[in-house]
Amino acid sequence: MQTLRSVWPVVVIVLTLLSCGPAGGGAGGAQRWLPAAPSVLDELGHFGVAHNGKPLVWARSYVVDLTGDGRSEIVIVTSYDFLLQLTPSPIRTYAVRGGTLVEITETLFPGGAPSAVFNRELVFGDFNGDGFPDLFLSNHGTEAFWPHPGEQNRLYLSDGSGRLIDRTETHLPQISDFSHGSAAADIDGDGRLEIFVNNLGGGETPWSYLMRQDGEGRFSVVADARFDGAGILPDEIMNRNSGYYATFVDTTDDGSVDLFLGPIPNVGEYSGWKHVLLLNDGTGRFTLADPDRLPSVREFDGFTPSAARTEDVLVGDITGDGRDDLVSFVRYGDFQGSFYTVFVNNGDGTFADETEARLPGQTFEPLVTSIPEAQLVDVNGNGHLDLLARTFDWGADPGGMATRTWAYLNDGTGHFEILPEVGAFRPKFAVLDVNGDGVMDLVTEHRDWTSMGESYIAVFFGRDVW
């Protein structure tokens, strides 16, 4: 394993959300994030450096209970050169222990930390049926040249003792593909999770495909553009590779998950760029939904729907009616503008675009931005999902601090009120209760982006945020 000490390292900082009243006091309580004690930081060390000496940085993260002990861990995908990266970088995992964070990467992955040249999505689920979470890496490899060579996806299965073992060679098809935003769900009700691998072209398999498993986590392809003898997926989408993201969601409230693919051009009766939805008949076979079930792709001056790319989809019940809604992050053009869209689930397979009413105050401005670390999470403990996200403009902000905030509190009906500035934390972050006081804390990275000097710890002043 690489050393955790290096020149120009990354330090993880924990910000604790302090409250003047009881947790979950609602919008009337004065609450704020303040830096935790330095001793917390000392436990974490640094991400380290890549083989070429470049510092590893926080690329994407997830809050999930990987050890099966009821406590959440932070799983962080690292990177050193974003799209131009040519060699793998590792995943780091931190556990909440005794009111602080401790790195458990080596313990959790005894065979070595998972790594990827470019991981686009981590997918978690009990794939081998032993009651413990497993991990699928949906990788797409470098974008440094064309055609993109793709990258092997990877699978880590639990051994039943809180450790994850690399089973890629024995339990996955050996395919180098350009996977982008894959998803897993039990599509046919047999208690086993399937994986839909969403591809954008490039690699050995340019099309998307569905994998089914044997109950012990051994996956094989059962539907792709070349073969779908069971009629699992409609022909109209099998040879399409323009959808940037895929997610399973029950749109008809019938207990079966459907498949949302975001904007794809000219699919069946869908003329032009349309959000595509595939409806599950209850047996794990999908049909193309009527185009009118989903709202049109939002248009902005200078950008047509063909410039829209759904880079992330958050699924959760924001309205409190028991049905999953969609909050998607859509990028337009070559990182020239971005926008969050709220699709409210009507429960009959249709969605309503209620962005303006529920998520006010957004602006659509040209900016060279990264994909934000967005989360639907109950930050104030009132039982309703809030939205927290940060992003920045590379051109206007060479220091790398977030200059744009999407931070909204849910009023309990799925309508959001934008928060004032919530602190100078980085765009990559995770939200969870670190010290066990019932109040959500925020974990983020910090480094000096403007010099080759040593790392520093920024001073965060408490600010009233709700």
Side-chain angles (χ1 to χ4, degrees):
M1 182 176 176
Q2 279 181 323
T3 177
L4 294 180
R5 298 287 177 183
S6 64
V7 176
W8 203 13
V10 176
V11 177
V12 175
I13 296 189
V14 180
L15 301 181
T16 301
L17 184 62
L18 301 183
S19 174
C20 297
Q31 298 175 320
R32 52 188 180 175
W33 275 302
L34 293 176
S39 61
V40 175
L41 306 175
D42 293 342
E43 296 292 329
L44 299 178
H46 307 279
F47 288 164
V49 297
H51 76 287
N52 56 6
K54 290 189 176 184
L56 296 173
V57 299
W58 183 323
R60 195 173 180 89
S61 67
Y62 302 80
V63 175
V64 61
D65 177 14
L66 267 184
T67 60
D69 63 359
R71 296 177 292 185
S72 295
E73 286 81 46
I74 305 173
V75 183
I76 299 174
V77 178
T78 67
S79 174
Y80 65 84
D81 209 2
F82 197 48
L83 299 179
L84 300 182
Q85 188 162 319
L86 295 174
T87 56
S89 55
I91 285 175
R92 306 285 196 204
T93 305
Y94 300 90
V96 176
R97 299 288 185 269
T100 186
L101 293 173
V102 178
E103 183 171 1
I104 61 168
T105 307
E106 291 183 339
T107 303
L108 188 62
F109 299 100
S115 63
V117 175
F118 196 137
N119 171 262
R120 188 56 186 87
E121 188 75 13
L122 297 183
V123 181
F124 302 92
D126 182 8
F127 297 124
N128 58 3
D130 66 355
F132 288 85
D134 306 306
L135 171 62
F136 174 76
L137 278 70
S138 179
N139 300 327
H140 73 40
T142 185
E143 292 190 26
F145 46 87
W146 180 262
H148 301 321
E151 185 175 1
Q152 172 68 46
N153 296 322
R154 307 202 67 82
L155 180 67
Y156 287 77
L157 297 179
S158 170
D159 66 356
S161 66
R163 303 183 305 173
L164 292 167
I165 310 301
D166 189 352
R167 302 298 188 194
T168 303
E169 293 187 3
T170 57
H171 287 61
L172 278 186
Q174 301 301 292
I175 305 172
S176 181
D177 50 14
F178 195 62
S179 303
H180 204 283
S182 303
D186 178 9
I187 67 172
D188 53 12
D190 66 355
R192 303 175 183 179
L193 296 178
E194 286 77 32
I195 299 178
F196 180 79
V197 180
N198 190 55
N199 282 337
L200 284 180
E204 300 170 354
T205 305
W207 43 76
S208 300
Y209 53 89
L210 182 75
M211 296 193 300
R212 184 164 279 152
Q213 52 134 325
D214 61 358
E216 297 182 355
R218 296 181 182 86
F219 285 89
S220 58
V221 177
V222 294
D224 65 18
R226 299 167 298 180
F227 173 75
D228 185 9
I232 298 172
L233 295 168
D235 293 338
E236 294 92 335
I237 66 102
M238 293 311 298
N239 62 349
R240 297 291 180 178
N241 54 28
S242 298
Y244 269 54
Y245 206 90
T247 191
F248 287 106
V249 57
D250 183 1
T251 67
T252 58
D253 204 23
D254 63 355
S256 298
V257 292
D258 308 304
L259 184 58
F260 174 76
L261 296 177
I264 302 179
N266 302 319
V267 175
E269 298 179 4
Y270 291 60
S271 60
W273 281 79
K274 301 287 186 181
H275 294 289
V276 172
L277 176 66
L278 304 180
L279 296 179
N280 190 337
D281 68 358
T283 70
R285 292 177 174 82
F286 295 84
T287 56
L288 196 62
D290 188 290
D292 294 334
R293 287 182 179 265
L294 292 171
S296 299
V297 180
R298 184 177 289 266
E299 295 190 39
F300 293 95
D301 290 342
F303 292 93
T304 65
S306 63
R309 303 289 185 269
T310 299
E311 293 280 12
D312 197 9
V313 179
L314 306 176
V315 178
D317 178 14
I318 65 171
T319 64
D321 62 1
R323 296 190 290 262
D324 281 332
D325 309 298
L326 302 175
V327 179
S328 64
F329 175 71
V330 183
R331 174 198 27 116
Y332 287 74
D334 188 13
F335 297 99
Q336 293 172 304
S338 53
F339 202 80
Y340 276 95
T341 298
V342 177
F343 285 174
V344 172
N345 190 337
N346 295 322
D348 59 359
T350 67
F351 284 81
D353 185 342
E354 300 186 4
T355 304
E356 297 299 334
R358 297 184 180 272
L359 205 62
Q362 292 190 77
T363 59
F364 182 86
E365 301 171 3
L367 75 164
V368 182
T369 183
S370 69
I371 302 168
E373 189 84 85
Q375 293 191 36
L376 280 174
V377 59
D378 179 12
V379 298
N380 58 357
N382 66 358
H384 304 293
L385 293 176
D386 309 301
L387 174 65
L388 185 63
R390 295 277 277 177
T391 191
F392 61 92
D393 188 338
W394 280 107
D397 183 25
M401 286 305 298
T403 56
R404 177 168 295 189
T405 302
W406 288 284
Y408 294 87
L409 286 183
N410 190 333
D411 69 355
T413 68
H415 294 83
F416 295 86
E417 178 184 359
I418 192 167
L419 294 174
E421 178 61 47
V422 293
F425 60 90
R426 288 273 303 145
K428 304 300 180 181
F429 64 89
V431 180
L432 73 165
D433 181 8
V434 175
N435 56 9
D437 64 354
V439 178
M440 284 296 183
D441 306 312
L442 184 145
V443 181
T444 185
E445 67 165 344
H446 233 24
R447 61 178 267 188
D448 188 347
W449 289 79
T450 61
S451 71
M452 293 294 290
E454 296 181 357
S455 64
Y456 69 94
I457 298 175
V459 177
F460 290 86
F461 297 98
R463 302 183 184 184
D464 291 342
V465 294
W466 53 74

